[in-house]
Amino acid sequence: MTKLKDLISQAEDTLRRQQAAASGDSKEESAQDARMREIHAVWERESSRLAKLRETLAGKNQEIAGLSRKLDSVPSRAELMQYERRFVELHESMGQKLSETRKFYELFNTLSQVHEFMQKEISLLKSIDEQFPQHM
């Protein structure tokens, strides 16, 4: 019987130790759960802050891109000088084309007058030729 009592006391001791260990584990688990909830809350706050910062950054990037396009649309001094040179070249080229065209018009008008005079002379010669054999 003493053996049985010793065995029962040992089992009770083991049960008490297991219960104590279980209650200690549950305290550790609840502390870990609290820590995990705290970490999750911090993560949520930081994630929302990061999202807001990203939205702000995207807005600033759009503003910068718009201003950059506006700056690029204004020609620099070197580009303006290049445009001016090109306009002068085009003006000179158009002047040359105009004088060349005028010369061709003048040539055409002259040749047209010559052709007209030649037609008149031919018609005069034909009329002389037609009347000359009749008088002789």
Side-chain angles (χ1 to χ4, degrees):
M1 222 354 146
T2 58
K3 274 188 166 186
L4 188 57
K5 285 185 181 181
D6 286 340
L7 207 60
I8 290 175
S9 67
Q10 283 178 357
E12 286 175 352
D13 285 341
T14 306
L15 182 60
R16 278 188 218 118
R17 276 184 274 161
Q18 285 177 354
Q19 286 175 349
S23 68
D25 285 345
S26 67
K27 286 180 185 177
E28 284 180 20
E29 285 178 16
S30 64
Q32 284 181 352
D33 286 343
R35 181 157 168 73
M36 287 301 289
R37 282 191 296 273
E38 182 183 337
I39 289 172
H40 185 68
V42 168
W43 183 79
E44 287 291 328
R45 280 193 313 267
E46 293 299 318
S47 292
S48 66
R49 186 172 158 239
L50 177 63
K52 288 178 186 176
L53 287 174
R54 282 187 176 163
E55 287 176 14
T56 305
L57 179 64
K60 293 292 181 186
N61 281 340
Q62 285 180 349
E63 283 180 44
I64 289 170
L67 292 173
S68 176
R69 281 192 297 275
K70 283 183 181 179
L71 279 176
D72 288 343
S73 69
V74 175
S76 67
R77 190 172 291 276
E79 288 174 324
L80 290 173
M81 295 295 292
Q82 186 177 4
Y83 290 148
E84 183 183 6
R85 278 193 302 263
R86 184 64 182 138
F87 284 134
V88 168
E89 288 174 6
L90 287 173
H91 181 70
E92 290 173 357
S93 173
M94 292 304 297
Q96 289 173 353
K97 276 285 189 195
L98 180 63
S99 66
E100 185 178 335
T101 304
R102 283 182 179 160
K103 286 178 186 177
F104 283 128
Y105 268 101
E106 205 173 294
L107 177 65
F108 176 79
N109 289 337
T110 305
L111 291 175
S112 179
Q113 286 176 354
V114 167
H115 182 263
E116 205 175 298
F117 289 136
M118 296 282 276
Q119 289 293 335
K120 284 181 182 179
E121 190 173 334
I122 289 174
S123 96
L124 183 64
L125 288 175
K126 278 185 181 178
S127 106
I128 291 174
D129 186 45
E130 287 173 2
Q131 290 180 10
F132 185 71
Q134 292 171 1
H135 294 301
M136 282 213 147

